Amino acid sequence: MLKVAVLMSTYNGEKFLQVQMDSLLAQQGVDLTIFVRDDGSQDATISILESFVANHHNVRLFTGGNIGVIQSFLTLIELAGEDFDFYALCDQDDYWMPKKLASAVNMLSGKNNNQPLLYCSALEYVDTNLKYIGCSKTIFQPSFGNALVENIVTGCTSVFNRQLRTLIIQQRPHSAVMHDWWMYLLATAFGEVIFDSTSYIKYRQHGGNVVGAMPKFLPLWRRRLGIVVSRETIISCLQVAEFNDYYGDQLDIEKQVLIRRFLHRKENKWSRWLLVTSTGIVKQSILDTIAVRFLIFLGWY
């Protein structure tokens, strides 16, 4: 069986951790090792994990100070080492169906494993009691131009190969919005992203989240145009600049042109016009694509 490392970062996760760990250990069809890094929990998280370590040879625990979710996952990716065929990211409060990893490995094994590969899937949204709420949209068209302005890879569904891991640990980002967005940039730049429209994960929603409700026309457009002032948009632009510093000269010519146009978009109207008419910058929604191009042309993005 292929060897898979599951990487989980925990923080005060005592409420749902037992259920999630049980679902990981019930995975079928893979040789599984679970690496957990606790990010400074102050509840019973560590004692729960220590019990799993004592009773299961394939559970390994690392503890440390609070460095935040991004750096914690990046640390785990490095700590796991290079001896695995595939690596999977995992949240502390979800529930994995028994064939989640086997499905991912099966799809990845059919691809060219000499390039960076990133698998992700649809999501089944559930409440805190694992009661069904809804499913994520299955529209999924990955591209480097999309990765510059939008992340469509949910980290807890992601599985990736050794080649992508090597890229991830080569340069640890300091301006990444999230670790899964950084992975999406790397995979679209140098490899391939594979999407599974079937969900094998029950993705808990906290705080009364509402799934599937479509805003009315004016609120929807206020949300779209609101990206201009969002903190995430500002950080995502810094993320692109850092990505270009690390990998710009390794990109193919088409991607080099696109990322440079994006980074120089505010210099003048001609630069912005070239960017918005190149069709490279896209979002998964047509209306969101129109909105982001409109904002770029105005110099507001």
Side-chain angles (χ1 to χ4, degrees), residues 119-231:
Y119 162 101
C120 59
S121 77
L123 292 164
E124 176 188 342
Y125 298 108
V126 297
D127 64 15
T128 55
N129 297 314
L130 298 179
K131 182 179 178 181
Y132 177 83
I133 298 175
C135 289
S136 60
K137 296 179 180 179
T138 56
I139 298 172
F140 193 90
Q141 298 176 325
S143 71
F144 183 66
N146 178 234
L148 295 179
V149 295
E150 182 179 25
N151 180 33
I152 56 176
V153 173
T154 305
C156 59
T157 73
S158 64
V159 182
F160 52 96
N161 67 350
R162 193 179 302 145
Q163 284 71 18
L164 183 55
R165 175 192 174 270
T166 299
L167 271 180
I168 294 168
I169 66 173
Q170 273 181 3
Q171 296 283 359
R172 182 175 291 206
H174 301 286
S175 300
V177 180
M178 281 297 285
H179 50 284
D180 49 13
W181 196 337
W182 187 258
M183 289 164 50
Y184 179 43
L185 272 167
L186 285 168
T188 53
F190 302 109
E192 184 177 355
V193 180
I194 300 100
F195 178 69
D196 191 341
S197 60
T198 301
S199 172
Y200 294 91
I201 179 173
K202 293 184 182 292
Y203 188 56
R204 289 189 203 263
Q205 300 295 288
H206 302 285
N209 293 1
V210 177
V211 178
M214 178 58 66
K216 294 182 179 180
F217 182 79
L218 288 178
L220 179 61
W221 274 93
R222 279 200 296 269
R223 179 184 66 78
R224 288 192 169 107
L225 296 178
I227 61 176
V228 68
V229 294
S230 73
R231 180 175 178 272

Side-chain angles (χ1 to χ4, degrees), residues 226-244:
I227 61 176
V228 68
V229 294
S230 73
R231 180 175 178 272
E232 181 176 294
T233 296
I234 296 170
I235 299 175
S236 69
C237 293
L238 295 175
Q239 174 178 256
V240 173
E242 184 174 20
F243 186 88
N244 186 62

Side-chain angles (χ1 to χ4, degrees), residues 13-124:
E14 63 179 7
K15 187 173 183 180
F16 303 114
L17 185 56
Q18 177 82 39
V19 173
Q20 174 65 308
M21 288 294 294
D22 287 341
S23 77
L24 299 184
L25 291 166
Q27 291 298 297
Q28 301 172 358
V30 295
D31 181 0
L32 179 73
T33 302
I34 302 170
F35 294 85
V36 186
R37 182 192 178 275
D38 185 75
D39 199 34
S41 291
Q42 298 175 347
D43 62 0
T45 294
I46 292 179
S47 63
I48 293 170
L49 292 170
E50 287 175 341
S51 176
F52 277 99
V53 171
N55 290 287
H56 300 275
H57 72 280
N58 58 339
V59 179
R60 302 176 188 176
L61 173 62
F62 303 90
T63 58
N66 185 272
I67 57 176
V69 62
I70 298 173
Q71 294 304 322
S72 188
F73 269 112
L74 292 174
T75 298
L76 271 171
I77 291 170
E78 189 166 358
L79 285 172
E82 60 182 14
D83 295 331
F84 294 89
D85 299 294
F86 299 103
Y87 302 80
L89 302 188
C90 178
D91 288 345
Q92 65 187 6
D93 54 356
D94 299 322
Y95 178 87
W96 286 16
M97 304 304 288
K99 294 184 179 180
K100 180 186 186 301
L101 289 178
S103 174
V105 166
N106 182 59
M107 293 184 74
L108 288 165
S109 297
K111 300 294 181 177
N112 176 12
N113 201 40
N114 293 320
Q115 64 177 338
L117 297 175
L118 175 61
Y119 162 101
C120 59
S121 77
L123 292 164
E124 176 188 342

